[in-house]
Amino acid sequence: MVGITAFGGYVPKLRLARQAIVDAHVWADPSLAGKAKGERAMCNWDEDAVTMAVEAARACLNGDASAPGAIYFASTSAPFADRQNAGIVSTALSLPEGIASLDIASSQKAGVSALLQGIGAVRGGLYESALVVASEKRRVQAGSPGELAYGDGAAALTVGQEGVLAEFVAAQSSTVDFIDHFRGATEAYDYTWEERWIRDEGLAKIAPPCIEQALAKAGLDAGAVDHFIMPSTIGRAVAGIARKVGITKGAVADNLHGVMGASGAAHPLVMLLHVLETQAKPGQTIVLSSFGQGCDVLVLRATAALADYQSANGIVDALARRQVENNYQKFLTFNDLIRLEKGMRAENNDYKTALSVTYRKRDMLLGLVGGRCSQCGTLQFPRTDICVNPQCHAQGAQEPCSFREQPAKVLTWSADYLAYTADPPSHYGMIAFEEGGRFMTDFTDVAAGEVEVGLPVYMVFRIKSVDSRRGFVRYFWKAAPAAR
Amino acid sequence: MATGIKDKVAILGMGCSRFGERWESGAEELMVEAFTEAVGDAGIDISEIDAAWFSTHYEEINVGKGGLPLSVALRLPNIAVTRVENFCASGSEAFRGAVYAVASGACDIALALGVEKLKDTGYGGLPGGLGGTLTPQWSANASAPGSFAQLASAYRAKHGVERDELKRAIAHVSVKSHANGVKNSKAHLRREITEEDAINAPMIAEPLGLFDCCGVSDGAAAAIVTTPEIAKRLGKENIVSVKALQLSLSNGAESGHNSWDGSYFHTTRIAAKKAYDEAGIGKPREQVSMFECHDCFSITEMVTMEDLQLSPEGGAINDVMDGFYDADGQIPCQIDGGLKCFGHPIGASGIRMLYEMYLQLQGRAGERQLPKPSIGMTHNLGGSPMSNVAAVCIVGAYE
């Protein structure tokens, strides 16, 4: 039996109230007035598809020491066009360097395609297990429909043969160059065709036959489908597909529009996690569909193991970790949608990154790996030749030790209005890890007045700074309040 | 066995430029201004200087690297000029180089000159630096006030101090320095403020407001040193000699090992103890007449009073509020206005502090002259609370 063996989800803590978006644009487009309900997930300034993928994958693996044979990273909003994004995720999680990695992109079905590739590879015996991560932060122009409809998020799954939670039953794909929207290689934003045409000529004609063929392969009646997962930002389009195929109305899964918005290529998997966590019962059938220049459709069946499975951090947990943002200006600022005066101090980020240093220190910078002195046991970050313990100073005695999962508390802090950050004040301070080790680090996802000495924090993978002149994103770990 | 520096070296002459936003002057003009006063005060000819130590921190926005900027600006007679840099303690480092050169017997007369031209950056506050190729890839997005502000959080937690109580105490630290700065014609900031002004000022880095931060100033300061014997031979009276000169640097323990609580300066405590030992001072609270502390931020000054063993641990707030460090208090601190109001041209500051102690000990401090000081101390700090360079220098009357 091959199938999904674990999962983890991630949704940024910030949720932009759609009312705030509508309030900003309704003067120009009165029809927006009816679209002010709910909220969309919004990346903090220091989050992108890679950072969200790290957090989702981290929750999925949950300290599992058995490394997957491959990592698949799916996104249409990956920060690097030519630098394996999956490799950043892999290094951030200290996965062994002897695994395969692959970025899957260029279509809204990339997330399900990645899962399909992972299942295929494990079924074919290429790998014992595979890690599939889909993550999306779609760029939208201010005032565009996507600004209201989309939301940022990520989902990670492992595929394997042991402890299967949802068994692979059948799959069907189609490839049709239907251009509902496109984004040229040098463009920042999508160009989108008319919704009615997409719904009637695209979704309604391309998806049903693919779903029907998948069900036929599985030997299943459409009426027996318990959960039908298919994202679409077009109202009633998915209900229409279900009706056409014969899937019951009650089987159509919540697309989470009200609580986070559509997370692009990641969204089918985000919705799948939500179904697995909240609805799917052992033995139930799940149809997972995606749409983007054709379809990938998977038929899955929940196993008895699902009933006992508890994700370290699923989509339900991620949705619960929430802070409503009513300031639309922050969304514009964080997403570079406004030409804002940043001040000369922002120029401090305008330096080339010494890539040879980034590589030499990759376990430290991406994996938060420090050292443990084999003589005195002191934990320390960074790892150096000579132990930091004043009573020890042993030389060459340190073994690599990751601080990713070490609990810590705030020792000192300040909220700084002078240092440049997209989200002032810049919160930072010394954090002391409970088992030893400390360093001064940036804090993130904190509200004004929230930080105090002794506050429990945990480490999260984030953008450290961006070299926008050269298009390079620097990553490191930051401390976030521990309520997870 | 080392015998220490006590009374081996005398200050022959000192000079200090006016500090402030010296839009009309570059580093070169500031160096000449300080040096002209110092060499005149010493009563020597430039040709009598055997070697020079030159301190400046931000070479990128200032004069560039090396010893040449000093040599060229002063047209020194092709002598050795060594550039030193040790963050904000660079001035003390230049002084140490000159003092050690004389003490070793290698030089009869040596010059220490520090300068910083900060106001060519285009914005307020100190410029940020990268700190190498690795540091910017992981260290926190910190400014100088944000780095030092963290002392307040740890000090409050350790001693159970309410935020309002701390805000008022550090406000008084600044009020006192502003009052002193009014009487100093070379000072950058010469306006009295009230505690309410300081408490209600715009926030820079919690809990430090605008008046908790020192001035960002252009300026230069110079010291010419020699042996007490030569000073006497040159006819000098009221000779001021070096009693102690100590430097202590962090080794990563504060920033990387859980033995430090974040509320004090580990290095200052070490440097102060060594300096008191070197100078033979057993009861600093009773024996030190006055001192210049590295008051880059009000909170720095407050916790440093404990690190220098002048206030008991946890007792600085009481001493500050009692006026113990005011101009008419038991140990006047920042009698010249300090970094807060005299200003903080980084490479010059350590020498500027000595300049005031020297004037006071010679009875030449004019309006702000203290009654009969005998021991003056300077505390010059570079870096951040987590990792720093602490310099403590004690000077006094040569007997």
Side-chain angles (χ1 to χ4, degrees), chain A residues 345 412 416-417 420 438 442, chain B residues 124 139 141 143 150 204 260:
Chain A
R345 285 182 187 278
T412 67
D416 183 345
Y417 285 91
Y420 169 74
R438 59 166 51 179
D442 294 316
Chain B
S139 73
N141 179 36
S143 69
Q150 294 171 58
I204 303 295
W260 178 65

Side-chain angles (χ1 to χ4, degrees), chain A residues 344-345 351 357-358 364-365 388 412-420 426 428-430 433 437-438 440 442 453 464 476, chain B residues 122-126 130 133 136-143 146 149-150 153 204-206 252 254-255 257-258 260 386:
Chain A
M344 286 183 182
R345 285 182 187 278
Y351 64 93
V357 175
T358 310
M364 168 195 171
L365 295 172
V388 73
T412 67
W413 67 280
S414 183
D416 183 345
Y417 285 91
L418 195 61
Y420 169 74
S426 177
Y428 53 86
M430 300 271 306
F433 292 88
R438 59 166 51 179
M440 186 162 82
D442 294 316
V453 172
K464 171 80 184 103
F476 188 59
Chain B
Y123 55 91
L126 291 177
L130 290 179
T133 51
Q137 298 194 52
W138 75 283
S139 73
N141 179 36
S143 69
Q150 294 171 58
S153 64
I204 303 295
E206 166 66 32
E254 300 100 297
S255 57
H257 186 254
N258 284 2
W260 178 65
M386 303 82 198

Side-chain angles (χ1 to χ4, degrees), chain A residues 278-337:
Chain A
T278 61
Q279 290 160 42
K281 305 277 185 302
Q284 286 190 331
T285 305
I286 300 163
V287 171
L288 174 67
S289 314
S290 58
F291 181 76
Q293 292 75 56
C295 296
D296 281 323
V297 179
L298 264 67
V299 181
L300 304 164
R301 186 176 294 114
T303 69
L306 180 64
D308 300 324
Y309 178 77
Q310 181 68 47
S311 172
N313 198 55
I315 283 296
V316 173
D317 300 316
L319 285 170
R321 183 180 160 271
R322 163 177 169 272
Q323 181 184 323
V324 178
E325 182 58 67
N326 290 304
N327 185 355
Y328 176 65
Q329 179 73 24
K330 263 197 186 179
F331 180 79
L332 295 179
T333 303
F334 291 2
N335 290 285
D336 239 348
L337 289 167

Side-chain angles (χ1 to χ4, degrees), chain B residues 373-398:
Chain B
S374 60
I375 290 288
M377 177 165 69
T378 67
H379 161 262
N380 188 198
L381 186 91
S384 69
M386 303 82 198
S387 199
N388 56 67
V389 178
V392 174
C393 179
I394 299 172
V395 290
Y398 180 74

Side-chain angles (χ1 to χ4, degrees), chain B residues 163-229:
Chain B
R163 184 178 181 279
D164 287 353
E165 188 187 354
L166 182 108
K167 275 290 276 184
R168 187 159 295 279
I170 59 179
H172 187 86
V173 166
S174 296
V175 167
K176 168 265 301 163
S177 297
H178 272 265
N180 293 346
V182 169
K183 296 180 180 174
N184 184 350
S185 61
K186 287 184 175 177
H188 180 175
L189 303 171
R190 304 189 63 202
R191 185 170 72 82
E192 289 203 49
I193 62 163
T194 66
E195 286 177 13
E196 302 310 316
D197 290 338
I199 288 167
N200 298 321
M203 187 56 69
I204 303 295
E206 166 66 32
L208 305 179
L210 183 64
F211 288 113
D212 292 302
C213 307
C214 73
V216 174
S217 326
D218 304 323
I224 296 171
V225 293
T226 188
T227 63
E229 293 71 30

Side-chain angles (χ1 to χ4, degrees), chain A residues 139-410:
Chain A
R139 288 193 73 179
V140 289
Q141 296 190 82
S144 66
E147 189 177 41
L148 281 163
Y150 302 163
D152 308 324
L157 308 143
T158 47
V159 175
Q161 304 191 55
E162 303 290 326
V164 171
L165 310 170
E167 176 192 4
F168 171 76
V169 180
Q172 179 64 44
S173 296
S174 68
T175 301
V176 184
D177 189 30
F178 179 81
I179 314 166
D180 55 344
H181 74 278
F182 68 92
R183 175 158 43 93
T186 58
E187 295 302 306
Y189 304 105
D190 296 348
Y191 190 83
T192 306
W193 213 252
E194 185 186 1
E195 270 196 2
R196 297 174 62 82
W197 175 74
I198 297 167
R199 184 188 66 196
D200 298 342
E201 195 62 13
L203 283 160
K205 290 189 177 170
I206 296 169
C210 198
I211 296 166
E212 284 161 358
Q213 287 164 40
L215 289 171
K217 279 187 185 173
L220 273 172
D221 239 22
V225 171
D226 297 295
H227 304 284
F228 175 50
I229 296 166
M230 180 162 193
S232 172
T233 57
I234 302 175
R236 295 188 302 281
V238 173
I241 292 167
R243 193 165 56 244
K244 199 162 185 176
V245 174
I247 294 172
T248 63
K249 200 174 165 186
V252 177
D254 181 0
N255 66 8
L256 306 173
H257 173 77
V259 292
M260 69 172 284
S263 57
H267 210 53
L269 302 187
V270 166
M271 288 171 66
L272 172 63
L273 261 58
H274 191 251
V275 165
L276 291 174
E277 286 181 87
T278 61
Q279 290 160 42
K281 305 277 185 302
Q284 286 190 331
T285 305
I286 300 163
V287 171
L288 174 67
S289 314
S290 58
F291 181 76
Q293 292 75 56
C295 296
D296 281 323
V297 179
L298 264 67
V299 181
L300 304 164
R301 186 176 294 114
T303 69
L306 180 64
D308 300 324
Y309 178 77
Q310 181 68 47
S311 172
N313 198 55
I315 283 296
V316 173
D317 300 316
L319 285 170
R321 183 180 160 271
R322 163 177 169 272
Q323 181 184 323
V324 178
E325 182 58 67
N326 290 304
N327 185 355
Y328 176 65
Q329 179 73 24
K330 263 197 186 179
F331 180 79
L332 295 179
T333 303
F334 291 2
N335 290 285
D336 239 348
L337 289 167
I338 185 170
R339 202 176 168 93
L340 199 72
E341 170 63 56
K342 296 176 178 174
M344 286 183 182
R345 285 182 187 278
E347 294 168 15
N348 281 352
N349 288 329
D350 182 17
Y351 64 93
K352 70 179 179 194
T353 308
L355 299 179
S356 40
V357 175
T358 310
Y359 175 72
R360 192 160 66 236
K361 298 289 186 185
R362 63 192 180 282
D363 70 337
M364 168 195 171
L365 295 172
L366 291 182
L368 201 67
V369 174
R372 181 195 295 274
C373 179
S374 59
Q375 303 231 337
C376 72
T378 298
L379 291 177
Q380 48 208 284
F381 189 94
R383 187 168 76 248
T384 56
D385 281 346
I386 301 174
C387 178
V388 73
N389 179 0
Q391 316 307 324
C392 176
H393 287 181
Q395 195 162 346
Q398 286 182 61
E399 288 153 2
C401 173
S402 173
F403 281 75
R404 281 191 302 272
E405 308 301 334
Q406 305 272 359
K409 284 185 174 153
V410 172

